Amino acid sequence: GDHRDLHLSIRRQRQMCIRDSNMMGQKVRTLHNGNLQAGRHHIFFDGFDDNNIQLGSGVYFYRVTAGEFNATKKMMLVK
């Protein structure tokens, strides 16, 4: 199956939450929730939700939250 890799580069250690949601804004997967060390990070999304059920093809959004910072990016999941 297809998957998406997220690449992050952070300047200092921080608490970070990365969540995937579907087109309706419903959270489907928490990819990371906790401390990340400074440096480059590679976060793997395998196309399954938090209940280990395979998600359908389509557009998903991942939201990165760290303190005051938050960003939302779009990803395509193709099976």
Side-chain angles (χ1 to χ4, degrees):
D2 195 42
H3 64 268
R4 291 288 173 262
D5 295 338
L6 314 181
H7 297 274
L8 302 173
S9 188
I10 57 175
R11 281 187 286 242
R12 58 189 175 86
Q13 178 182 318
R14 59 191 323 172
Q15 186 78 11
M16 192 167 280
C17 183
I18 304 167
R19 291 199 167 112
D20 248 351
S21 59
N22 61 20
M23 293 281 287
M24 280 87 72
Q26 299 162 315
K27 180 178 78 77
V28 293
R29 179 77 178 265
T30 299
L31 296 172
H32 179 84
N33 191 11
N35 272 323
L36 277 180
Q37 300 295 323
R40 293 181 166 280
H41 296 278
H42 187 169
I43 294 175
F44 176 73
F45 174 55
D46 59 5
F48 286 82
D49 71 8
D50 280 337
N51 299 312
N52 211 31
I53 296 166
Q54 189 160 21
L55 296 165
S57 296
V59 176
Y60 292 86
F61 297 91
Y62 64 93
R63 184 179 182 92
V64 178
T65 309
E68 298 298 305
F69 172 82
N70 64 69
T72 303
K73 305 265 186 184
K74 189 161 71 169
M75 71 167 76
M76 281 295 292
L77 186 65
V78 183
K79 288 199 284 190

